[in-house]
Amino acid sequence: DIQMTQSPSSVSASVGDRVTITCRASQGIRSWLAWYQQKPGKAPKVLIYDASSLQSGVPSRFSGSGSGTDFTLTISSLQPEDVATYFCQQANSFPYTFGQGTKLEIK
Amino acid sequence: QVQLQESGPGLVKPSQTLSLTCAVSGDSINTGNFYWSWIRQPAGKGLEWIGRIYPSGNTDYNPSLKSRVTISVDTSKNQFSLNLSSVTAADTAIYYCARFKRIFYYFDYWGPGTLVTVSS
C-alpha cells in the first residue's frame, strides 16, 4: 500500500495567516492527489483534486501544488470557518489511501 | 444536486454481518463517469477506503478487507450496498458512501455517514 504522511499533525494559526500543510507519498503518485476538509460531525468535502485543481465552489484562498511524492495544501489567508481537519488522498493505485489528517485550529 | 444517504443497523453483534445501503438521488447511478464507494472512519481516526463498484457490477476491494467485503449495486433502485462479514469491535466506525469521479480520480460527493457499533 502507498503510505501518505501528513505534516504537521496539528497546527494553530491566527486569522489572516498563511497556512501550509504537506503530504508525502511513500512512492510516486504522479498528480493523483486530492485534499479534503472535514469539520466535526460532518463528511469530508473535497477542496483540491489532481493535486492543484480547485473544486467548484471552494474559496480561492485554498490552493494545492506538487507532483510525484511531495504535495502541499495552502490557505492564503486563514478564516475562522477553516477550522477543520484536512486529509490528503492518493488515487494512483489500489488500495486508495488517506493521510492521517492535520487538525487546524485558530489561535 | 447529487445526494447520497446511508442506511442500516447502528448496532451489529460480533461475528455477524454488517449491511448498509446507500441511496443516490439527483443523478442516475448508471452514469458511466463514476464509481460508487464505501469508506469508513473509526472515531477520532483517519479514513479507510473499503471498496468500489461500477454500475456494470465490477468491483475493487481493499485487500485488507477483501475476504469479508461484498459491494453490490441495484440500478433499478438507484442504490448500492455494503456487506461486511464476521465483524469485530475493530469494525466499529462511521461508514460513508461516496461517489468517485473517474476523471481526475477523487470523491466528489459523500453521504453524511452512519455510525455502526459492533457490540454484544
Side-chain angles (χ1 to χ4, degrees), chain A residues 1 32-34 36 38 41-46 48-50 53 55 87 89 91-92 94-100, chain B residues 35 37 39 41 45-49 52 60-63 96 100-101 103-108 110-113:
Chain A
D1 298 5
W32 298 126
L33 184 107
Y36 300 86
Q38 186 177 34
K42 300 292 187 182
K45 166 191 165 185
V46 64
I48 302 287
Y49 63 91
D50 195 30
S53 296
Q55 175 72 349
F87 294 94
Q89 172 250 322
N92 183 76
F94 293 130
Y96 299 147
T97 48
F98 294 82
Q100 81 279 14
Chain B
Y35 289 96
S37 288
I39 296 158
Q41 184 175 35
K45 296 189 178 181
L47 297 153
E48 180 180 33
W49 176 74
R52 71 180 191 181
D60 295 290
Y61 299 131
N62 191 322
Y96 297 100
F100 183 80
K101 203 162 183 178
I103 300 173
F104 298 124
Y105 296 1
Y106 65 100
F107 300 100
D108 62 347
W110 297 62

Side-chain angles (χ1 to χ4, degrees), chain B:
Chain B
Q1 176 78 347
V2 177
Q3 291 187 316
L4 292 83
Q5 180 67 55
E6 306 89 352
S7 63
L11 181 64
V12 181
K13 288 181 167 46
S15 79
Q16 293 191 342
T17 296
L18 177 162
S19 296
L20 297 174
T21 295
C22 181
V24 179
S25 59
D27 195 10
S28 169
I29 206 167
N30 256 325
T31 304
N33 294 326
F34 306 102
Y35 289 96
W36 304 90
S37 288
W38 289 97
I39 296 158
R40 70 181 183 179
Q41 184 175 35
K45 296 189 178 181
L47 297 153
E48 180 180 33
W49 176 74
I50 299 170
R52 71 180 191 181
I53 190 163
Y54 195 61
S56 64
N58 290 343
T59 54
D60 295 290
Y61 299 131
N62 191 322
S64 68
L65 298 168
K66 188 174 183 177
S67 63
R68 299 193 290 130
V69 172
T70 303
I71 297 176
S72 58
V73 64
D74 187 336
T75 54
S76 67
K77 293 182 179 179
N78 220 41
Q79 64 186 34
F80 61 107
S81 300
L82 168 71
N83 277 358
L84 180 66
S85 64
S86 305
V87 297
T88 69
D91 295 309
T92 294
I94 296 173
Y95 285 76
Y96 297 100
C97 58
R99 190 177 82 167
F100 183 80
K101 203 162 183 178
R102 291 183 68 196
I103 300 173
F104 298 124
Y105 296 1
Y106 65 100
F107 300 100
D108 62 347
Y109 285 98
W110 297 62
T114 187
L115 174 63
V116 179
T117 301
V118 179
S119 175
S120 55

Side-chain angles (χ1 to χ4, degrees), chain A residues 49-90:
Chain A
Y49 63 91
D50 195 30
S52 61
S53 296
L54 189 68
Q55 175 72 349
S56 176
V58 173
S60 59
R61 63 181 180 273
F62 291 93
S63 64
S65 64
S67 67
T69 59
D70 294 307
F71 301 87
T72 298
L73 173 70
T74 298
I75 307 173
S76 60
S77 178
L78 184 65
Q79 299 302 303
E81 60 266 31
D82 299 336
V83 169
T85 299
Y86 293 83
F87 294 94
C88 60
Q89 172 250 322
Q90 67 83 18

Side-chain angles (χ1 to χ4, degrees), chain A residues 3 7 9 13-14 21 24 38 46 51 56-57 68 84 87 97 105-106:
Chain A
Q3 304 303 313
S7 61
S9 55
S14 300
I21 299 168
R24 175 164 287 177
Q38 186 177 34
V46 64
S56 176
F87 294 94
T97 48
E105 298 175 328
I106 300 285

